[in-house]
Amino acid sequence: MRNRMLMGVVGWIAAGLLAGCMETAPRAQDASAAPAATAPAQPANAGPSFGNASPTAGSSTSAKANAAADAAAYKEVAYKNVKKKGPALIVIPGEIKSNNASFTQRFLPNNIADFAELELSQANFPVLERSNLGPLINEISLAYNLGDPKAARKTMQMGKLKSTKWIVKFDILKAEQIAENKKGFDGRAVGGLISQLSGSRGGAAAGTVVGSVQTGEASGVWLIGMRYKIMNANTTEQVANGYKELKMEVGATSTSVMGVSESAKGGVGLDTMVQRLVQTAVWDIDARYK
């Protein structure tokens, strides 16, 4: 009686996992079906939309992956004082002071400054882009990083630079994985025990099923911190500064039963985290100092 109950429970678990995994397989299109109706034309004021050419489009794996991607996708920020025009500024490359190799190999200060120029422009700050300054940006960066007002005034007397009020820089002060947690289940030991104690063919079969079960789950959490600094374009004196820190989690799960497996991994990437930090810092600048 005990063996029959055990086999029933194990069979129910295995059937559920098999059904969930088989659900992810893409379905072949019926060639005999009538051709699909032509999609209605988009309104002229609608943004562009694109189809999904993936062979797994429409499956459960596709739905889960797209849901995770949507959560990490770029989203515009509704800046508090966007209707008010801010002072003209230049973003100079900041510093990456973290010693984390995964971060420093991925990012350069210019990447962060590019994100900052984009977000400050969307917050209605007139931004003189670094690409329009050419080699002059190196002289500007040197003058303000050294706090040399004489060199700064000399540089800022040239052409369009005369209208610049602020010099802004964004520095990464922290990028580290602070926590990691893993857990899993390996059914081999339990399956072997069931087979030994049952003494029947059914019990041996149940032990085989349980022994095939493998599950795993892992999560890691990062903390990334960014400082912004605003300097007077004429004097190099600091006008304001602030620090923002965000948490990033990455994770993975896997399940395998009787040769049928399912796995997933994802999370917000470092690129997205840096952009979100820039958005958070720009929101602070827009709300407090415009």
Side-chain angles (χ1 to χ4, degrees):
M1 179 68 178
R2 184 178 61 183
N3 289 341
R4 287 200 298 272
M5 290 179 63
L6 178 59
M7 289 177 63
V9 172
V10 171
W12 178 78
I13 294 173
L17 289 169
L18 282 167
C21 292
M22 290 173 65
E23 187 187 57
T24 65
R27 297 180 180 177
Q29 185 176 358
D30 185 359
S32 63
T38 304
Q42 287 187 335
N45 60 348
S49 63
F50 308 96
N52 186 350
S54 168
T56 59
S59 67
S60 61
T61 55
S62 174
K64 291 176 182 178
N66 276 280
D70 289 341
Y74 173 77
K75 294 178 179 62
E76 293 186 1
V77 172
Y79 291 108
K80 185 176 180 180
N81 294 323
V82 69
K83 293 183 179 180
K84 181 181 178 182
K85 191 173 183 178
L89 56 84
I90 294 173
V91 179
I92 61 174
E95 299 175 72
I96 299 178
K97 299 190 175 183
S98 168
N99 293 323
N100 187 283
S102 299
F103 191 91
T104 54
Q105 289 173 3
R106 173 78 64 87
F107 283 97
L108 294 173
N110 280 324
N111 300 127
I112 301 169
D114 287 338
F115 285 142
E117 287 180 344
L118 170 66
E119 294 301 328
L120 285 163
S121 295
Q122 292 187 350
N124 200 11
F125 286 91
V127 178
L128 185 55
E129 296 190 4
R130 303 180 331 282
S131 58
N132 296 329
L133 297 174
L136 190 59
I137 188 63
N138 295 326
E139 295 182 31
I140 296 172
S141 298
L142 183 62
Y144 289 92
N145 285 328
L146 294 177
D148 186 344
K150 184 177 178 180
R153 289 192 198 99
K154 180 182 177 181
T155 306
M156 290 314 215
Q157 294 307 309
M158 302 180 184
K160 355 178 165 175
L161 297 178
K162 292 181 180 179
S163 62
T164 304
K165 303 296 182 186
W166 285 356
I167 303 295
V168 185
K169 63 180 294 194
F170 297 81
D171 303 318
I172 294 292
L173 302 186
K174 176 195 291 187
E176 60 180 352
Q177 184 172 354
I178 61 163
E180 185 175 16
N181 190 273
K182 296 180 180 180
K183 69 176 183 178
F185 172 76
D186 187 336
R188 286 175 292 185
V190 177
L193 186 62
I194 292 174
S195 298
Q196 290 176 11
L197 296 179
S198 63
S200 68
R201 184 176 298 176
T208 300
V209 174
V210 173
S212 73
V213 177
Q214 305 279 331
T215 66
E217 182 177 311
S219 297
V221 178
W222 286 60
L223 277 180
I224 305 178
M226 174 179 285
R227 176 184 66 189
Y228 66 83
K229 186 184 291 187
I230 304 172
M231 292 166 282
N232 186 297
N234 293 317
T235 65
T236 72
E237 292 180 359
Q238 184 171 292
V239 175
N241 70 80
Y243 177 79
K244 299 297 177 182
E245 192 171 275
L246 291 179
K247 182 172 65 174
M248 177 183 81
E249 180 178 345
V250 291
T253 64
S254 64
T255 302
S256 177
V257 179
M258 294 295 289
V260 180
S261 62
E262 181 177 5
S263 64
K265 63 180 179 179
V268 176
L270 291 174
D271 295 306
T272 301
M273 285 304 300
V274 168
Q275 191 160 35
R276 289 181 177 180
L277 274 167
V278 169
Q279 288 178 318
T280 305
V282 170
W283 193 94
D284 204 44
I285 294 169
D286 171 77
R288 298 175 61 188
Y289 304 114
K290 188 180 275 185

